[in-house]
Amino acid sequence: MQEGRILSAKRINNDLLRGVFENPLRYWLIIGFLAIFVLGAMGAAGYMINRGLGVTGLNRPVYWGFFITNFVFWIGISHAGVMLSAILRLSKAEWRRPATRAAEVLTIFSLLTAVMMPLIHAGRPWRVIYWVFPYDFSRGIWPDVRSALVWDPSAINTYLTSSILFVFVALIPDIAVIRDRTTGIRRKIYGVLSLGWRGSTRQWKFQAIAGILLSALILPVFVSVHSIVSWDFAMAISVKSWHSTIFAPYFVIGAVLSGVSGVVTVMIFMRWIFGWEEYIRKEHIESLAKLLVVIALGWFYFFAMELIFGIYGQEGDELATKHMQMFEPPWVWFFITFIVCSFCIPVPMWLFSGVRRSMFWMVVTTILVNIGMWLERFIIIVPALARKQVFSGTWYTYAPSAVEITIVAGTFAMVLLLFLLFAKLFPLIPIFDIKEGQVLRDEIQVGRRKVPAVIRED
Amino acid sequence: MTKTTILGLYTDANYAAEAGEALERTGLSNKDFDFLTDTPYPEGALGERHSSHRLYIFPFIGALIGLTTALLLTTATQVSYPLITGGKPVLSIPPMAIITYEGTMLGAILFTVIGIIFESRLPSMKKQIYDDRITEGHIGVVVTCDESKVNDVEQALTQAGAIDIKKENV
């Protein structure tokens, strides 16, 4: 650990505010490229709203397809963020410093994207307001709090609000750094956003408490959110393979696996785009890779348990769905791809130090994990619905339409686009946190060797 | 009597801490000065005063408000449209617990953030003595004193190694 050099405060400011003050051509090229996909997705969504859900591949009995799969996926990605940041802050892991902000910001943008999916899926997004918010005073009809579909917005709303506030509180000192480096209207705007921060001892004291206290409060919310998302499925008695008690922890650990992988991918891209080799170092990626091995093994345990419980019960419907998912084409191909991508390839590779310290291989393996995890959600949702039920009058299999594919592709571009636009306004690596790391680090003589050390406060 | 605020700038934390000690030797208490930095230093590193707070009350108040609001919302909405489903009770505790939990946590987090901002004495829109070099690694020692003490304070700050001194009348 502690492979980096000791840097001056001025150098840290210049390096980490490069995204805010400089306009490299590759940044705008990437923005333009992503914007094309986002505009395409907006066009597709507009077309779908105009023509109705008939332009999607959804039909009886498969009412949940690409959109809901994507919703669960992005909720999963959002979990890494604050979870990673909160756990690393609480455990005072020194290598958290460059990772926390990116993880928290990824949480916000992936949550916003996730929220959009059920709205688009509803076909008439503006009508969702009747369903989510309890405001219908005139008719006395209120959302049914007994429905898991009402629990979901309440949990996501709590998580999104908390995450935004968490990011904002930690941003205040860094906004003050930008304020001090800007002039004119920009200085005024950043001045207002920094709330008049001066960096007094009292302000720093509460900044430190905020990190710990908010982390401790957000962690239980994070666990509850994906548990509740899993209950969207697990509470449905009619779809046999969904009605599983293990779904909540299984979804949570799956979310953590895909989310932490997402953070690693994003951090490596940030390192490449902004030239942050001094800050996002191989030691940081290696530590995250080790964490990923532990999470992936935990996820595999729950995956195996979900499978074993399904088979061990010997219930006809459950067995039939499992058979469909694992042996019948086309689902079997998705199933094999999912397990190979999310576990069989990356985990053995992460056991090698050379892979953990290679930016190229870490990008490849973490992207593979997320391809696998997206397919996992698809495999859970679609085959279970597509299987003929006892009282199904009509049934058919599901194939996504071009509209659905365009919208889903657009969501990936949108998260990256929002992330990069955020980097234009605020630093993606917490400046004060990096500076604190520099203040607290030292070298101590142990026998004949000088060893890097870090002072830790309790 | 008119009060004056003086800011001394230092390039090193040791000098800033020495400035604090020198100020105390002039008869000022550690309530009269503060340190401005661009990064959190370990508590007590600069010899700053220990400040008390009531931050931990905020999450509890927030949680109570959130809990009450969520309970009222879930109860009132179900009672106002009492649709019996599958012979189950209208007021069903498990789903109410879920929304109540989320409401409680939301209240706790909202009030924690309010508490952090309040206890940090933010937002502070009043123009206060400051120097942009603080966010470049310099350490500021801000002193508020009577006009009669200005010379002593300036001397103490300079002797401790201040590279620049600013003054403002409060």
Side-chain angles (χ1 to χ4, degrees):
Chain A
M1 298 295 276
Q2 292 279 308
E3 290 170 2
R5 292 187 290 131
I6 293 191
L7 303 166
S8 70
K10 196 171 182 176
R11 164 84 192 272
I12 293 170
N13 288 344
N14 290 342
D15 287 349
L16 298 184
L17 292 176
R18 204 174 285 153
V20 178
F21 292 116
E22 291 178 16
N23 292 301
L25 180 65
R26 66 180 158 184
Y27 173 85
W28 291 110
L29 286 175
I30 296 169
I31 290 279
F33 179 72
L34 294 171
I36 293 169
F37 281 89
V38 174
L39 288 172
M42 286 165 75
Y47 174 71
M48 193 196 80
I49 289 166
N50 180 256
R51 301 295 293 268
L53 283 174
V55 300
T56 66
L58 299 167
N59 205 337
R60 284 184 298 268
V62 186
Y63 283 124
W64 287 1
F66 256 38
F67 294 147
I68 300 300
T69 301
N70 210 36
F71 162 72
V72 181
F73 174 79
W74 283 116
I75 291 279
I77 291 284
S78 77
H79 275 54
V82 167
M83 190 281 314
L84 189 72
S85 168
I87 286 185
L88 297 184
R89 273 176 205 266
L90 288 174
S91 62
K92 296 189 175 170
E94 195 52 32
W95 54 273
R96 73 173 191 276
R97 297 186 190 279
T100 51
R101 175 81 44 80
E104 292 154 11
V105 172
L106 188 64
T107 291
I108 293 175
F109 293 139
S110 47
L111 260 181
L112 285 171
T113 308
V115 169
M116 275 172 41
M117 297 320 296
L119 296 183
I120 293 174
H121 172 82
R124 296 282 181 273
W126 54 93
R127 289 194 177 174
V128 171
I129 201 142
Y130 291 100
W131 159 59
V132 176
F133 297 103
Y135 85 105
D136 193 354
F137 300 108
S138 55
R139 290 182 297 172
I141 298 172
W142 302 82
D144 183 4
V145 298
R146 284 166 289 184
S147 163
L149 301 183
V150 173
W151 308 342
D152 227 1
S154 77
I156 292 171
N157 175 44
T158 301
Y159 191 45
L160 183 60
T161 311
S162 315
S163 305
I164 291 171
L165 291 172
F166 192 41
V167 169
F168 175 68
V169 168
L171 253 180
I172 295 172
D174 288 353
I175 297 174
V177 178
I178 307 177
R179 174 201 63 198
D180 292 350
R181 258 141 215 83
T182 44
T183 50
I185 186 79
R186 282 183 86 186
R187 189 180 176 96
K188 277 186 186 158
I189 294 170
Y190 282 114
V192 170
L193 288 174
S194 68
L195 305 178
W197 174 275
R198 292 199 304 160
S200 68
T201 45
R202 188 179 176 89
Q203 288 172 346
W204 282 121
K205 179 179 179 165
F206 288 102
Q207 184 62 229
I209 296 176
I212 302 289
L213 192 55
L214 285 175
S215 297
L217 286 169
I218 286 179
L219 271 179
V221 174
F222 130 81
V223 175
S224 77
V225 173
H226 220 62
S227 300
I228 291 172
V229 167
S230 82
W231 294 339
D232 288 347
F233 304 94
M235 294 291 163
I237 301 170
S238 57
V239 185
K240 295 296 175 193
S241 65
W242 289 355
H243 197 52
S244 166
T245 49
I246 206 171
F247 256 31
Y250 177 43
F251 269 51
V252 171
I253 191 104
V256 174
L257 176 60
S258 67
V260 176
S261 302
V263 170
V264 173
T265 313
V266 160
M267 281 178 71
I268 295 174
F269 276 118
M270 276 161 50
R271 179 184 146 108
W272 172 65
I273 293 172
F274 300 111
W276 284 337
E277 286 82 3
E278 289 275 7
Y279 302 92
I280 301 171
R281 298 189 296 271
K282 288 181 177 176
E283 56 172 329
H284 298 126
I285 302 299
E286 185 177 20
S287 300
L288 283 164
K290 286 176 185 168
L291 183 66
L292 274 171
V293 173
V294 177
I295 297 167
L297 291 172
W299 168 81
F300 191 77
Y301 169 77
F302 280 100
F303 165 74
M305 287 303 106
E306 202 266 336
L307 198 63
I308 289 168
F309 290 166
I311 296 168
Y312 198 73
Q314 290 291 303
E315 285 181 25
D317 290 324
E318 181 87 35
L319 286 175
T321 311
K322 288 277 178 280
H323 186 271
M324 193 173 172
Q325 287 169 333
M326 293 165 63
F327 299 108
E328 293 174 25
W331 318 113
V332 59
W333 306 121
F334 295 131
F335 184 84
I336 291 169
T337 314
F338 137 62
I339 197 72
V340 167
C341 286
S342 56
F343 192 82
C344 298
I345 294 177
V347 176
M349 284 181 76
W350 292 332
L351 298 179
F352 297 96
S353 171
V355 172
R356 292 197 303 265
R357 294 177 70 83
S358 156
M359 297 297 150
F360 172 75
W361 286 115
M362 283 310 292
V363 165
V364 170
T365 48
T366 50
I367 288 177
L368 276 181
V369 167
N370 273 318
I371 292 172
M373 294 311 289
W374 199 94
L375 287 172
E376 184 211 25
R377 278 68 180 250
F378 184 74
I379 282 287
I380 289 174
I381 295 169
V382 177
L385 287 170
R387 205 181 66 78
K388 184 183 180 310
Q389 307 282 324
V390 180
F391 296 111
S392 299
T394 57
W395 74 96
Y396 97 126
T397 190
Y398 167 77
S401 71
V403 170
E404 285 169 285
I405 294 169
T406 312
I407 292 173
V408 167
T411 61
F412 284 83
M414 193 177 90
V415 171
L416 290 173
L417 182 70
L418 290 171
F419 198 81
L420 289 176
L421 290 176
F422 180 91
K424 195 79 213 119
L425 300 172
F426 306 107
L428 273 173
I429 293 181
I431 298 175
F432 76 87
D433 221 5
I434 295 290
K435 286 179 184 171
E436 187 190 27
Q438 299 276 323
V439 167
L440 298 181
R441 65 186 289 174
D442 204 352
E443 280 188 332
I444 52 169
Q445 190 79 33
V446 179
R448 299 262 165 89
R449 222 186 124 190
K450 273 200 167 177
V451 184
V454 175
I455 304 158
R456 268 196 181 187
E457 262 205 297
D458 286 322
Chain B
M1 192 181 281
T2 323
K3 290 261 184 188
T4 304
T5 307
I6 305 167
L7 171 72
L9 273 183
Y10 296 86
T11 52
D12 190 279
N14 289 325
Y15 297 151
E18 279 170 25
E21 287 163 11
L23 288 169
E24 286 188 60
R25 283 197 295 273
T26 65
L28 292 170
S29 90
N30 64 2
K31 286 179 186 165
D32 298 318
F33 60 88
D34 197 4
F35 299 89
L36 306 181
T37 58
D38 67 337
T39 186
Y41 279 83
E43 213 168 342
L46 300 169
E48 73 275 16
R49 66 175 178 268
H50 174 75
S51 48
S52 57
H53 65 89
R54 290 182 179 175
L55 177 64
Y56 297 112
I57 294 172
F58 283 84
F60 286 108
I61 295 172
L64 266 178
I65 293 173
L67 175 87
T68 315
T69 312
L71 266 179
L72 283 174
L73 192 69
T74 47
T75 310
T77 50
Q78 289 181 97
V79 170
S80 69
Y81 195 76
L83 183 68
I84 295 168
T85 318
K88 304 260 174 67
V90 170
L91 284 180
S92 180
I93 304 296
M96 284 170 68
I98 292 166
I99 293 179
T100 306
Y101 171 80
E102 296 299 338
T104 308
M105 294 310 292
L106 181 62
I109 290 167
L110 279 174
F111 271 70
T112 302
V113 172
I114 292 170
I116 288 161
I117 291 173
F118 173 77
E119 290 285 358
S120 303
R121 305 289 181 255
L122 294 172
S124 164
M125 291 306 161
K126 197 174 72 179
K127 195 166 163 45
Q128 289 175 295
I129 197 161
Y130 185 72
D131 193 291
D132 288 354
R133 284 173 285 180
I134 287 166
T135 47
E136 275 186 4
H138 288 67
I139 297 167
V141 180
V142 188
V143 192
T144 306
C145 62
D146 295 334
E147 228 170 296
S148 58
K149 282 233 166 208
V150 169
N151 285 339
D152 292 347
V153 168
E154 276 191 277
Q155 203 178 355
L157 292 176
T158 312
Q159 279 176 355
I163 56 156
D164 197 3
I165 289 181
K166 285 180 171 184
K167 270 193 295 186
E168 261 178 29
N169 284 326
V170 183

